[in-house]
Amino acid sequence: MRLPVIAGNWKMHKTMEEARALTRAIKDGAGGATHCTVVLAPPFTSLAAVCGETKGSSIQLAAQNVHWEPKGAFTGEISIAMLEDAGCSMVIIGHSERRQYFGETDETVNRRVKAVLNSSLKAIVCIGETLAEREAGRVHDLITQQLAGGLAGLTHQSLSHIILAYEPVWAIGTGRTASPEIAQEVHKAIRDWLSRQFGTEAAQEVRILYGGSVKPDNVSVLMRQPDIDGALVGGACLEAESFLRIIHY
Ligand code: 13P
C-alpha cells in the first residue's frame, strides 16, 4: 500500500560533471525500478544537470532545503518555484545537519513545510534524537516535540505532501546503524502519533523512511520492519554500486 522510497542525500558532494556521471550509472542500474521510488537529492548547483539525466526514467529529484518565502531579498536562499523549475518533485526539510549547524528549529521547519503544502512538491521532513537525548531516555518526548512543532497546523489532507524520515543523529555518518528493533520501535511511535493527530487512515498512508548509516548489507533487514517504508541514504549513495545494491535491497 505504501510504495517504498529509497532516497540518496548527496549532502555537499559532487560537481556537475560528477553528478551527471553518478546519475547516468544509477539510471542504467535502476531507472526502471517499480518496487520503490528512487529519489536523488544533489546540491542545488547540480539539480538541473541531474534532472537532464533522469528524463525518461521514474527517478525523482529532490532538493536539500528550501526557503518559505516565494521571492524577495533573501540572499543565499532558494524558493519553491525555483525548485519546481529545476525539475524537483521533493525537498528535504529539517535535516539534523541543518538543525545542528545552521540554526534550523521546529518553527522554521514548520514554515518550510507549510510553504510546500501549496506547491507540487512533497516534503521529506527529518526528525531524530542525539545520543545524549537517547541516553537521557528522551527519545519519545523529543520525537513528539519535533513532530508537533514541524507539522503544526497541518490537516489530514495535507499529509499527502509529507514523507517523514527518522534519522537518529548518533547513527548518521558513524557506521552505527540503529538496530531494526530500535528503528521499528520509533517508526511505530511516529505512526501512532500521526494516527492520534490525523486519524488512522491518513497515518497509514504516510511513508516513514529510516536514515543513519544505511548500507547494502543492512538495508534488507531494516526494510522488513512493518513501519519502515524506505531509506534516506548519505555516504552509501555517493557511489552507484552501493546505492544500486540498496535500491535492489
Ligand atoms: P549516512 O548514511 O552517511 O549515515 O547519512 C544519513 C543521512 O544523513 C541521510 O540524510
Side-chain angles (χ1 to χ4, degrees):
M1 168 175 68
R2 299 187 293 267
L3 186 66
V5 172
I6 303 292
N9 174 8
W10 295 13
K11 306 191 180 182
M12 197 172 73
H13 293 282
K14 309 287 177 187
T15 62
M16 275 196 275
E17 202 40 54
E18 291 165 347
R20 282 194 198 93
L22 177 58
T23 305
R24 273 198 292 274
I26 292 167
K27 185 179 164 184
D28 287 349
T34 53
H35 67 286
C36 69
T37 302
V38 176
V39 181
L40 305 182
F44 292 126
T45 48
S46 289
L47 286 172
V50 170
C51 181
E53 296 296 334
T54 56
K55 286 235 158 62
S57 78
S58 57
I59 296 173
Q60 304 286 303
L61 187 63
Q64 297 175 18
N65 192 17
V66 70
H67 191 54
W68 53 83
E69 290 293 340
K71 62 176 141 180
F74 301 103
T75 301
E77 297 297 324
I78 302 279
S79 73
I80 287 172
M82 292 169 186
L83 296 186
E84 291 173 325
D85 190 37
C88 291
S89 58
M90 299 187 189
V91 57
I92 298 171
I93 294 179
H95 191 280
S96 64
E97 287 149 17
R98 301 234 42 101
R99 294 177 189 258
Q100 240 180 310
Y101 307 130
F102 303 103
E104 187 84 78
T105 63
D106 292 331
E107 201 233 316
T108 55
V109 167
N110 187 238
R111 285 191 191 197
R112 296 180 214 280
V113 167
K114 281 183 173 156
V116 164
L117 300 181
N118 301 313
S119 78
S120 65
L121 302 180
K122 283 190 197 307
I124 302 176
V125 181
C126 301
I127 58 175
E129 81 284 1
T130 62
L131 187 59
E133 286 157 347
R134 173 161 286 272
E135 286 175 344
R138 291 199 55 237
V139 176
H140 286 263
D141 285 353
L142 200 273
I143 294 294
T144 303
Q145 181 188 315
Q146 290 177 331
L147 286 168
L151 304 185
L154 268 63
T155 62
H156 69 96
Q157 289 97 335
S158 52
L159 272 196
S160 59
H161 279 269
I162 305 294
I163 294 172
L164 287 168
Y166 170 58
E167 298 204 306
V169 177
W170 47 270
I172 295 177
T174 58
R176 194 178 157 192
T177 321
S179 69
E181 295 75 26
I182 287 184
Q184 165 58 24
E185 198 250 322
V186 180
H187 280 233
K188 180 165 185 310
I190 293 169
R191 202 176 306 285
D192 287 347
W193 185 89
L194 291 171
S195 292
R196 287 195 296 278
Q197 297 298 313
F198 302 105
T200 309
E201 207 177 313
Q204 285 299 327
E205 300 288 321
V206 177
R207 267 89 50 96
I208 308 174
L209 318 185
Y210 168 78
S213 296
V214 174
K215 306 289 175 201
D217 59 3
N218 60 30
V219 62
S220 313
V221 59
L222 288 162
M223 291 300 291
R224 278 202 291 275
Q225 306 307 309
D227 289 294
I228 298 185
D229 308 312
L232 185 52
V233 184
C237 81
L238 297 174
E239 301 286 342
E241 198 258 344
S242 52
F243 193 52
L244 285 169
R245 284 171 61 205
I246 292 173
I247 290 169
H248 298 295
Y249 60 88

